[in-house]
Amino acid sequence: MSLLGVRNPSIRDSFNEIQNDIAFKALSLTLKDKDDWEKFIKDANKENDDKYANVTYEDMKEFINSREWNIVEPSEKKYLREFQAVDLVYQLSMKRHWSLFIIEKSNNFFITSDRPVKLFWNNKSEDNYGPAFGDKNSELIFPINKNNILWGSFIMPSIIKKDTDDDDIATLNSMQLLYYKRHLYSPTEDFILKKGDIIVSSKKLFDVNAI
């Protein structure tokens, strides 16, 4: 679970976006004052045999503001960081209280997605940004299979719920719908979701084949 939570394309995309935002802010500060920029580029040219002699302040400012660039992290560095994060996420996960929701009687089932590890706030006032794995006010859900799903919390006590009803199934399935990147995975094309307080069929909401 920790591996899936960290080594996920959507997580990598989010990290790349953060890297690019940090670089943009740093470069914007460098370009805030033309005199500071000229001192910076003079030092850079001195250390790199005038490699940047033709780079003007105006050209660089236009390029940075265009955001048509991307920070590329070496694969070896990226993999090392991810595997180090897996161990940290595992340690944090062990501090959560884990509950197991089991479907025994219902004919309905849990779905999953290309982001099977769902991390979210239990406090809606913090919805403006996503939680980290160690945030005390975060919850984590992870479908084991179509009949079992794990729920990890720092606050709620551990339970085993064997009689998970259709209302809970539809609610947990709707959470998968909120956080997926490109693909949902289900045993059949039709599964239940929540629309407000009502349980509805996925086929009534959208064309599953188009997802």
Side-chain angles (χ1 to χ4, degrees):
M1 183 181 68
S2 300
L3 187 64
L4 288 171
V6 173
R7 300 202 70 202
N8 185 292
S10 60
I11 301 297
R12 290 173 181 170
D13 290 344
S14 297
F15 186 81
N16 289 340
E17 289 175 7
I18 293 171
Q19 279 190 313
N20 287 336
D21 284 340
I22 292 172
F24 175 75
K25 290 175 182 177
L27 290 167
S28 295
L29 284 173
T30 303
L31 291 163
K32 189 175 182 179
D33 184 89
K34 189 172 183 178
D35 291 337
D36 289 342
W37 161 257
E38 289 179 349
K39 182 178 183 304
F40 171 81
I41 204 69
K42 181 180 179 180
D43 292 340
N45 281 321
K46 186 177 180 180
E47 294 177 5
N48 294 275
D49 298 324
D50 291 330
K51 183 177 180 180
Y52 310 106
N54 296 324
V55 179
T56 67
Y57 172 78
E58 290 75 16
D59 288 343
M60 180 57 72
K61 193 168 185 178
E62 182 180 354
F63 173 70
I64 296 302
N65 289 334
S66 73
R67 298 300 292 260
E68 295 179 358
W69 47 270
N70 186 44
I71 303 297
V72 179
E73 184 179 29
S75 297
E76 296 80 3
K77 184 178 179 181
K78 175 175 63 181
Y79 296 147
L80 177 61
R81 171 177 49 79
E82 288 179 343
F83 280 114
Q84 289 173 337
V86 167
D87 184 62
L88 176 59
V89 169
Y90 171 76
Q91 297 298 329
L92 292 170
S93 297
M94 294 298 291
K95 296 180 181 180
R96 290 181 183 267
H97 308 298
W98 288 97
S99 297
L100 179 62
F101 290 80
I102 305 171
I103 300 174
E104 288 190 341
K105 299 177 181 179
S106 176
N107 291 323
N108 289 299
F109 46 81
F110 297 124
I111 64 171
T112 188
S113 74
D114 49 8
R115 291 190 66 180
V117 181
K118 300 292 184 295
L119 191 66
F120 57 95
W121 293 115
N122 55 31
N123 185 344
K124 289 187 177 180
S125 66
E126 299 183 87
D127 273 346
N128 56 324
Y129 62 95
F133 283 94
D135 283 317
K136 300 298 182 182
N137 289 326
S138 68
E139 307 288 330
L140 191 155
I141 59 173
F142 176 65
I144 301 173
N145 54 40
K146 67 177 184 176
N147 294 317
N148 298 273
I149 195 166
L150 283 171
W151 184 303
S153 174
F154 290 111
I155 299 173
M156 295 189 300
S158 298
I159 62 169
I160 296 178
K161 188 172 183 179
K162 294 184 178 181
D163 56 342
T164 305
D165 57 26
D166 285 349
D167 190 73
D168 286 337
I169 297 169
T171 298
L172 289 165
N173 283 349
S174 295
M175 295 178 72
Q176 297 289 333
L177 189 64
L178 287 173
Y179 293 98
Y180 82 101
K181 183 73 172 179
R182 294 181 60 189
H183 303 289
L184 291 174
Y185 302 108
S186 167
T188 70
E189 292 183 354
D190 195 20
F191 48 87
I192 59 172
L193 297 164
K194 286 292 285 293
K195 185 177 182 181
D197 295 327
I198 303 172
I199 298 175
V200 296
S201 161
S202 61
K203 284 189 173 181
K204 292 182 179 180
L205 290 181
F206 46 72
D207 181 3
V208 178
N209 291 320
I211 296 178

